[in-house]
């Protein structure tokens, strides 16, 4: 608190009172110049002292203040305005004047030069004309101020209570807030360290920032990378056509590295390679009619129309997507597996496909781009010194995902029930596929006879480890001989496929079919893909099926009402 | 004549309550991206953006 060096007159009580009033008024005007008048009404002062001294009433307080300040007229000036007594002083402790004298020392008041007879001529200053835009903007900004000024009372504004003034004078400097409150209620404290804020809220801020960057036409992006449009390398239409022709000639999707090396003579050792790679990828991404990104993070591959198709010709991609729709409901696995282990089913073997299930989602790289439809991967089979190009079709809408392009490998080396192992390599788009090789095994296994359009058993020799319960051997599933495939409409309905499997392999008694889960699983997977969880869901949710007394055994009761189809 | 709470009426230039994520500090971030001379990941940009906002608010607080 500022200590006053003023001399107060009167009795001890009057001196104390005058000093306290002076201190309050000095606080009230703490932010103003030393000689600026500070005003306070007698009524406000009396209110303040009444609240401070409960034994005082308004009249007594006013009387005592008048007496005290009257004896200190060298500090306080008194004036009456519209019946109200106002006291004025300054921070220096002078009775305030209506127009304060200049507070600057005389030497800086620019005195006229000695012997000056006329006012000095000043050269008129030519101001640059102001743009009408800024004039209009300034006028618009002034309007609310003007409106509030008009609505204010013309007379002197009501003075705040002394206590309030004192408080506002003490807390005159408002501390700026450091917390941001997001619409969802999240509070971000910017007083924390940057790394801490990033760890706590980086994902949320990043999401908001990404939306803002997407709206900004000055920026260009590819995947997770962002840069300024003006700073990227320019690629003409001619160069893009050259890239398109090159990919078509090669007949396979090409990486940005290959394109840059072969057509632009840029290698990763070049200092501007990163910028070139970004420029090429961002530019090709815009040419959606001609180019399609089929890479994964770390391996940017580009395909064009007219490349040889990957995958089976026996089923359309849309049918496969529908067949695998149930995979969309699989919950994610807690940890990505180090390698993918999978037992082939008849359906997968026949069409050369693998499910993009929860395990595969955790194992294979996610799409780099939001609208990315597929990724091309290379599966090396070290046991054969061969490599296969596999297309990973990502789930879209209500269609599930899958991998295809393995028909030749499966038909040449494996059988349904075989265990395959897929492992990562150093390259993000290259994987190894292995199976456990065994001595020759000769079995009569189920195959589909395209000519007869029926399932038959045939003598097959294979050299891989299999899961016996998944092997569709004649000794176990002999009743499948000469069975016909289901119609496309039937195979689309999982419950129909399961019911059909019951009729093929189940033990019939009193019009009911009885089969174990272990028997049903390989058979339902002949016509369409099922995971074990999906099969169990169908068995529990559709009313024609019900669990038997024995664990793992289910009944099919034909004709029972189907309350709900899976 | 006095003006009560003059300083209090002077709003800080960047008070955290005035920050609009995705708008405030975006120009500085773009300038930083330009000066970096190469494409940057969203993660790097987010970190830098937080640093820019934090600097704006803390500078104001210290002023």
């Amino acid at each position: 608190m500022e200590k006053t060096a003023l001399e107060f007159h009167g009795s001890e009580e009057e001196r104390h009172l005058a000093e306290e009033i002076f201190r309050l008024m000095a606080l009230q005007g703490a932010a103003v110049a030393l000689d600026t008048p500070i005003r306070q009404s007698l009524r406000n002062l009396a209110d303040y002292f009444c609240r401070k001294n409960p034994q005082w009433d308004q009249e007594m307080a006013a009387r005592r203040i008048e007496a005290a300040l009257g004896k200190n007229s060298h500090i306080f000036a008194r004036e009456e305005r519209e019946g109200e007594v106002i006291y004025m002083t300054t921070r220096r402790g002078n009775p305030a004047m209506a127009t304060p004298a200049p507070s600057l020392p005389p030497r800086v008041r620019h005195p006229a030069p000695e012997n000056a007879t006329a006012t000095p001529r000043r050269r008129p200053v030519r101001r640059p004309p102001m743009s009408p835009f800024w004039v209009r903007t300034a006028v618009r900004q002034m309007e609310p101020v003007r409106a509030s000024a008009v609505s204010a009372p013309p007379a002197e504004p009501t003075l705040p209570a002394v206590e309030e003034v004192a408080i506002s004078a003490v807390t005159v400097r408002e501390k700026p807030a450091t917390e941001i409150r997001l619409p969802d209620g999240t509070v971000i404290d910017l007083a924390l360290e940057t790394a801490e804020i990033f760890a706590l809220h980086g994902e949320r801020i990043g999401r908001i920032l990404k939306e803002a960057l997407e709206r900004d036409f000055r920026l260009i992006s590819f995947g997770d990378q962002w840069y300024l449009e003006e700073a990227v390398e320019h690629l003409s239409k001619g160069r893009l056509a050259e890239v398109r022709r090159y990919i078509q000639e090669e007949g396979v999707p090409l990486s940005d590295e290959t394109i840059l090396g072969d057509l632009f003579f840029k290698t990763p050792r070049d200092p501007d390679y990163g910028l070139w790679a970004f420029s090429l990828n961002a530019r090709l991404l815009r040419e959606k009619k001609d180019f399609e990104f089929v890479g994964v993070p770390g391996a940017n591959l580009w395909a064009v129309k007219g490349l040889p198709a990957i995958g089976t010709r026996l089923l359309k991609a849309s049918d496969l997507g529908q067949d695998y729709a149930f995979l969309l409901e699989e919950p994610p696995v807690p940890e990505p597996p180090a390698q993918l282990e999978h037992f082939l089913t008849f359906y997968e073997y026949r069409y050369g496909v693998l499910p993009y299930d929860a395990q595969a989602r955790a194992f294979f790289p996610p799409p780099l781009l939001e609208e990315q439809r597929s990724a091309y991967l290379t599966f090396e089979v070290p046991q054969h010194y061969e490599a296969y190009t596999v297309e990973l079709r990502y789930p879209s809408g209500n269609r599930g995902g899958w991998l295809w392009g393995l028909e030749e490998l499966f038909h040449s080396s494996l059988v349904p029930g075989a265990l395959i192992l897929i492992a990562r390599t150093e390259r993000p788009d290259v994987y190894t596929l292995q199976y456990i090789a065994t001595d020759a095994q000769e079995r009569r296994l189920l195959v589909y006879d395209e000519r007869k359009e029926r399932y038959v058993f045939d003598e097959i020799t294979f050299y891989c480890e299999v899961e016996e319960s998944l092997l569709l051997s004649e000794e176990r599933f002999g009743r499948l001989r000469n069975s016909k495939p289901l119609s496309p409409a039937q195979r689309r309905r999982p419950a129909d496929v399961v019911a059909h499997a019951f009729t093929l392999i189940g033990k019939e008694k009193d019009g009911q079919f009885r089969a174990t889960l272990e028997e049903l699983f390989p058979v339902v997977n002949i016509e369409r893909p099922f995971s074990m969880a999906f099969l169990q869901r169908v068995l529990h949710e559709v009313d024609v099926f019900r669990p038997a007394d024995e664990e793992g055994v289910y009944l099919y009761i034909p004709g029972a009402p189907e309350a709900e189809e899976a | 004549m006095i003006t009560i709470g003059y300083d209090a009426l002077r709003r800080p230039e960047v008070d955290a309550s005035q920050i609009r994520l995705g708008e405030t500090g975006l120009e500085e971030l773009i300038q930083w991206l330009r000066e970096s001379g190469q494409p940057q990941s969203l993660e790097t940009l987010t970190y830098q953006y937080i640093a820019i906002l934090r600097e704006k608010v803390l500078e104001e607080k210290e002023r």
Side-chain angles (χ1 to χ4, degrees), chain B residues 36-50:
Chain B
S36 76
Q38 58 182 352
Q40 299 289 347
S41 70
L42 182 66
E43 192 180 27
T44 309
L45 289 172
T46 305
Y47 191 92
Q48 188 59 32
Y49 185 55
I50 292 169

Side-chain angles (χ1 to χ4, degrees), chain A residues 28 37 39 168 172-174 176-179 182 190 192 198 206 212 216 218 224-228 230 278, chain B residues 1-2 4 8 11 15-16 21-22 27 30 34 37-43 45-47 54 57 61 63:
Chain A
Q28 175 186 338
R39 297 179 175 213
S168 80
V172 67
R173 171 77 185 182
E174 188 181 90
T178 60
E179 290 181 347
L182 301 184
L190 290 172
L192 299 174
F198 183 76
D216 201 310
R218 293 169 295 177
D224 191 37
Q225 300 281 311
W226 292 84
Y227 202 43
L228 290 144
E230 67 191 23
F278 178 83
Chain B
M1 211 45 60
I2 62 163
I4 301 297
R11 298 296 300 165
D15 183 287
L21 281 182
E27 287 308 312
I30 289 172
R34 182 179 284 116
Q38 58 182 352
Q40 299 289 347
S41 70
L42 182 66
E43 192 180 27
L45 289 172
T46 305
Y47 191 92
R54 190 173 171 274
V57 169
K61 195 184 176 191
R63 200 156 62 82

Side-chain angles (χ1 to χ4, degrees), chain A residues 13 24 60 112 189 263 276 282 307 348 350 391 395 532 535:
Chain A
E13 187 192 345
L24 284 171
M60 184 199 293
D189 188 359
L263 298 181
W276 269 95
L307 291 185
E348 291 158 5
R350 186 176 173 198
E391 186 183 13
M532 188 57 91
L535 174 60

